[in-house]
């Protein structure tokens, strides 16, 4: 019987791939980077300096708006002075000035004083840890502010001021997060509204507002602030922001 011999088996050594060879190098580099970062940071956040700070951006924008407002007021004063001087010698300018003068009061361009109401709305400052409370019920919303303003107008308000800004018919009360945006300025709560007009009628309009009724319920439940106070004299400044309407147009 012929014997069957097995062919010798040759074990070939597999050479490491390029990735396998790079793994130790990458691990060493990552470790060195971690140690260097920890040493440089010394427990601080290295990224903080490069982050966009929204609060800083808002403050910068407010500073720019304030500077531009000062320029606008000066220009408005210059134009008014020049118009008055020109009206003394130009009959056409004098006629236009006389025609526009009665419109200054209803358009809100003239400061006013008189009795009225002040309304204050503020976020809740109570803690509801562990309770199933919707965070939206704990803050003043744009709809709450607009409801109060609309009710005051409906109650016969002759002049309304929100924070330190006079409102006119084209004014828009907007909220950005939990802040109020008026004429390029940002305000934090509590939010105050002052209205010159018949106190009883305006108070009745506030009480009749459906949106404010819901807000008052949330105020009683979650600690938001809602107060209405009668005042014998309220001073409301004239509207000084630019007057104009922005509207959409059909694209061509």
């Amino acid at each position: 019987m012929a014997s069957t011999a097995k062919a010798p088996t040759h074990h070939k050594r597999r050479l490491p791939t390029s990735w396998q060879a790079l793994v130790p190098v990458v691990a060493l580099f990552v470790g060195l980077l971690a140690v260097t970062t920890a040493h440089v940071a010394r427990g601080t956040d290295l990224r903080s300096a490069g982050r966009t700070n929204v609060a800083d951006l808002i403050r910068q924008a407010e500073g720019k708006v304030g500077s531009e407002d000062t320029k606008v007021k000066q220009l408005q004063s210059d134009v008014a002075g020049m118009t008055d001087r020109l009206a003394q010698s130009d009959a056409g300018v004098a006629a236009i000035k006389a025609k526009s003068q009665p419109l200054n009061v209803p358009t809100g361009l003239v400061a006013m004083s008189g009795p009225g109401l002040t309304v204050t709305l503020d976020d809740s400052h109570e803690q509801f840890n562990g309770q199933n409370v919707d965070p939206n019920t704990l803050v003043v919303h744009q709809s709450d502010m607009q409801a109060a303003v609309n009710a005051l107008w409906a109650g016969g308000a002759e002049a309304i001021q929100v924070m330190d800004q006079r409102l006119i018919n084209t004014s828009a009360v907007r909220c950005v997060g939990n802040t109020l945006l008026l004429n390029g300025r940002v305000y934090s709560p509590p939010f105050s509204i002052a209205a010159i007009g018949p106190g009883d009628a305006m108070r009745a309009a506030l009480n009749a507002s459906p949106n404010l009724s819901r807000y008052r319920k949330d105020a009683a439940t979650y600690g938001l602030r809602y107060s209405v106070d009668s005042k014998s004299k309220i001073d409301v400044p004239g509207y000084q922001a630019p007057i104009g309407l922005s509207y959409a147009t059909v694209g061509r």
Side-chain angles (χ1 to χ4, degrees):
M1 177 182 295
S3 61
T4 304
K6 292 184 179 180
T9 302
H10 298 284
H11 296 282
K12 294 184 179 179
R13 183 183 178 187
R14 294 193 301 173
L15 295 176
T17 63
S18 58
W19 170 246
Q20 290 174 321
L22 283 175
V23 167
V25 178
V26 173
L28 178 62
F29 176 75
V30 171
L32 179 61
L33 181 62
V35 172
T36 303
T37 302
H39 176 73
V40 174
R42 298 185 184 276
T44 62
D45 188 353
L46 289 177
R47 296 176 298 169
S48 59
R51 288 177 177 167
T52 300
N53 192 319
V54 177
D56 287 343
L57 292 177
I58 292 176
R59 282 191 288 268
Q60 292 174 8
E62 283 187 296
K64 184 176 181 180
V65 169
S67 176
E68 296 299 325
D69 278 349
T70 301
K71 295 179 182 178
V72 168
K73 290 176 183 178
Q74 182 60 51
L75 291 173
Q76 289 175 333
S77 177
D78 293 343
V79 170
M82 294 174 65
T83 302
D84 291 340
R85 289 192 295 271
L86 189 58
Q88 296 176 2
S89 58
D90 190 311
V93 173
I96 294 175
K97 181 182 176 183
K99 186 177 181 179
S100 63
Q101 199 72 27
L103 301 177
N104 289 338
V105 172
T107 53
L109 302 181
V110 177
M112 296 182 64
S113 295
L117 299 178
T118 59
V119 182
T120 303
L121 297 88
D122 193 8
D123 296 347
S124 173
H125 298 280
E126 297 185 11
Q127 300 295 326
F128 295 91
N129 297 330
Q131 301 183 40
N132 188 20
V133 176
D134 185 355
N136 286 322
T137 61
L138 305 179
V139 297
V140 179
H141 292 278
Q142 175 177 318
S143 58
D144 303 322
M145 292 293 296
Q146 192 65 64
V149 170
N150 288 343
L152 291 169
W153 284 128
E158 300 171 13
I160 296 180
Q161 172 181 303
V162 175
M163 304 303 279
D164 59 353
Q165 298 282 336
R166 172 75 174 269
L167 299 188
I168 59 175
N169 291 337
T170 57
S171 296
V173 179
R174 296 189 180 95
C175 287
V176 181
N178 66 333
T179 59
L180 180 67
L181 179 63
L182 282 174
N183 299 328
R185 294 184 180 274
V186 179
Y187 301 91
S188 298
F191 302 124
S192 61
I193 306 172
I196 297 175
D200 292 340
M202 291 191 297
R203 190 182 292 270
L206 290 169
N207 292 335
S209 169
N211 287 337
L212 283 180
S213 176
R214 288 191 291 269
Y215 177 85
R216 285 192 294 269
K217 290 180 181 178
D218 287 340
T221 304
Y222 302 109
L224 291 96
R225 181 182 175 187
Y226 176 78
S227 61
V228 181
D229 299 299
S230 300
K231 300 292 181 180
S232 59
K233 182 181 180 182
I234 295 176
D235 296 319
V236 175
Y239 183 81
Q240 295 181 334
I243 297 178
L245 293 176
S246 297
Y247 51 89
T249 56
V250 179
R252 297 180 181 275

